[in-house]
């Protein structure tokens, strides 16, 4: 495959990733509702530790486990915000903390 073919492949993988992230966000919103209804905290460090251990165990490379965990740390951070705010993004006037928080 040439570079154009590889880029098409990446574009298709990105499309699938967005679909999966959206599915995960919908689940996070529902979990956030359940947490609010039962007065559970949004941040659950033990649950996050379990998720990180799970993704490390599932990882077959080529990314090192520590990099997979870093990606999931960011995903979990975003999903906590989704649970707090529901789908629809940051509250009006909220300032991005990093360039990753800025809307693209």
């Amino acid at each position: 495959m040439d570079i154009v073919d590889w880029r098409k492949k990446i574009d298709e993988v990105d499309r699938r990733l967005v679909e999966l992230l959206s599915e995960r966000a919908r689940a996070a919103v529902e979990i956030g509702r359940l947490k609010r209804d039962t007065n559970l905290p949004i941040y659950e460090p033990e649950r996050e530790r379990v998720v990180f251990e799970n993704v490390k165990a599932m990882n077959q490379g080529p990314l090192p486990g520590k990099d997979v965990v870093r990606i999931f740390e960011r995903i979990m951070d975003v999903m906590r915000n989704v649970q707090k705010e529901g789908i629809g993004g940051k509250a009006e006037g909220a300032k991005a903390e990093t360039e990753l928080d800025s809307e693209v």
Side-chain angles (χ1 to χ4, degrees):
M1 289 189 356
D2 65 14
I3 193 167
V4 172
D5 294 326
W6 282 111
R7 286 180 175 162
K8 285 179 185 175
K9 181 171 182 65
I10 285 174
D11 289 344
E12 174 57 23
V13 170
D14 288 347
R15 184 193 63 73
R16 292 187 338 236
L17 284 170
V18 169
E19 288 175 3
L20 291 170
L21 288 169
S22 293
E23 184 178 337
R24 195 181 200 292
R26 284 187 290 276
V29 166
E30 293 306 319
I31 290 170
R33 284 186 186 132
L34 292 169
K35 286 179 176 180
R36 278 189 297 281
D37 291 347
T38 57
N39 293 316
L40 290 172
I42 296 295
Y43 178 57
E44 295 184 82
E46 179 58 24
R47 170 61 183 154
E48 291 190 16
R49 187 193 63 73
V50 169
V51 170
F52 300 147
E53 291 300 318
N54 287 342
V55 297
K56 278 196 305 190
M58 288 183 267
N59 182 33
Q60 296 179 9
L63 285 175
K66 67 179 176 57
D67 290 339
V68 172
V69 169
R70 287 179 58 211
I71 291 166
F72 271 83
E73 286 171 344
R74 186 63 184 167
I75 290 170
M76 297 294 287
D77 181 49
V78 169
M79 295 302 159
R80 272 194 309 277
N81 288 334
V82 165
Q83 286 185 349
K84 289 176 191 171
E85 301 168 7
I87 294 291
K90 291 184 173 285
E92 281 189 41
K95 184 177 178 185
E97 294 177 17
T98 70
E99 68 276 6
L100 296 174
D101 296 326
S102 300
E103 290 189 27
V104 180

